[in-house]
Amino acid sequence: LLKWRKPWKKTLEWKEPHAKWFVGGKLNVCENCVDRHLGTPRENKAALVFEGEPGDQKTLTYKQLHVEVCKLANVLEGLGLKQGDRVAIYMPMVCEAVVAMLASARIGAVHTVIFGGFSSESIKDRVNDCGAKLVITADGGWRRGSIIDLKKNVNAAVKGCPSVEHVLVVKRAGNRVSMTSGRDVWWHEAMKDASHKHEAKAFDSEAPLFVLYTSGSTGKPKGVLHTSAGYLLGTTITSKYVFDLKETDTYWCTADIGWITGHSYVTYGILSNGATNVIYEGAPNFPQVDRFW
């Protein structure tokens, strides 16, 4: 669903090390991953199949995923988010993490996903560097039979993050958390009355899609910016041809969305191809090493 009027030879701009794809074109990345499948047999097939470490399960069809993404897009706009604003996502591997990425892309907000195993100091560094206005997190997430207290880490981090206006919190693990009035919002309460209708707007092919930070193991984390059309093209093609992915396939990438592999092959590349995507929350060897199988 990319629209451009220029001849093909004028749509690629390559000035090393930077490449610009489909110059002058417009698209919405979320629309290509979700809306495009509506009105086809794909809309009633599973888009996301989730299993948590405790064994709980959840499935979202493409039609249901569209509803959740549209509702969250309306919530984000209600919190004052607009095109170009940054959203930090610090989440366990749950369906809501993918919904958060897609809803951000839908309204043109630039997401930065922070691995759920990182410390509060790591959150603070990344949030301050990109100037995020919103942090999306959960009360906690399960790993190796224990709850990782994600909200506690966010609370400690945002004390030193003047750009953060709101924290949106998914109730996942049920652990007790501290909520700051006027800043913190429960996901389920915000989503309860949100409209399931939201029109995706077309953004420039080179509009920023996300910033992903290097690990910081050898120095200060560096934010790597990915733009929209070229990135979506790359992940769609590699998913389809390198993985031989077919829309009848059920696919599982074991990477966390906190890494580029998770961005590409948990969210964007797989959903743009209309396949069924498996998401697993916990550790690969808990309670035993056969857990994946």
Side-chain angles (χ1 to χ4, degrees), residues 82-255:
K82 60 185 184 302
Q83 181 184 1
D85 287 339
R86 273 76 67 197
V87 176
I89 299 171
Y90 180 68
M91 297 275 285
M93 284 293 288
V94 291
C95 292
E96 289 86 349
V98 174
V99 171
M101 296 170 73
L102 292 168
S104 298
R106 190 176 190 85
I107 68 170
V110 182
H111 64 68
T112 184
V113 181
I114 304 169
F115 173 52
F118 278 165
S119 67
S120 59
E121 197 66 25
S122 298
I123 300 169
K124 184 177 75 172
D125 288 345
R126 288 159 174 79
V127 167
N128 282 336
D129 188 77
C130 72
K133 291 176 65 174
L134 171 70
V135 178
I136 303 178
T137 189
D139 51 2
W142 290 95
R143 189 167 180 86
R144 301 190 191 283
S146 299
I147 296 173
I148 307 299
D149 199 337
L150 301 175
K151 180 60 164 58
K152 182 179 179 180
N153 289 341
V154 169
N155 286 345
V158 298
K159 288 178 181 178
C161 299
S163 64
V164 174
E165 298 176 1
H166 294 285
V167 177
L168 187 60
V169 188
V170 173
K171 184 172 284 189
R172 163 62 188 149
N175 51 306
R176 181 175 295 181
V177 297
S178 174
M179 299 285 285
T180 299
S181 178
R183 184 196 71 188
D184 297 350
V185 182
W186 283 109
W187 173 294
H188 63 277
E189 292 180 356
M191 294 282 277
K192 181 175 61 176
D193 296 323
S195 171
H196 65 277
K197 294 181 179 180
H198 184 276
E199 185 176 350
K201 301 178 181 67
F203 301 112
D204 189 82
S205 62
E206 280 296 300
L209 178 61
F210 65 87
V211 176
L212 187 59
Y213 284 84
T214 58
S215 64
S217 55
T218 58
K220 184 180 178 181
K222 302 167 189 66
V224 181
L225 174 68
H226 288 261
T227 56
S228 298
Y231 171 77
L232 183 63
L233 173 67
T235 57
T236 302
I237 286 179
T238 51
S239 298
K240 183 176 179 65
Y241 294 114
V242 177
F243 301 158
D244 191 28
L245 184 70
K246 299 176 176 59
E247 68 171 273
T248 54
D249 288 337
T250 297
Y251 176 84
W252 181 29
C253 172
T254 65

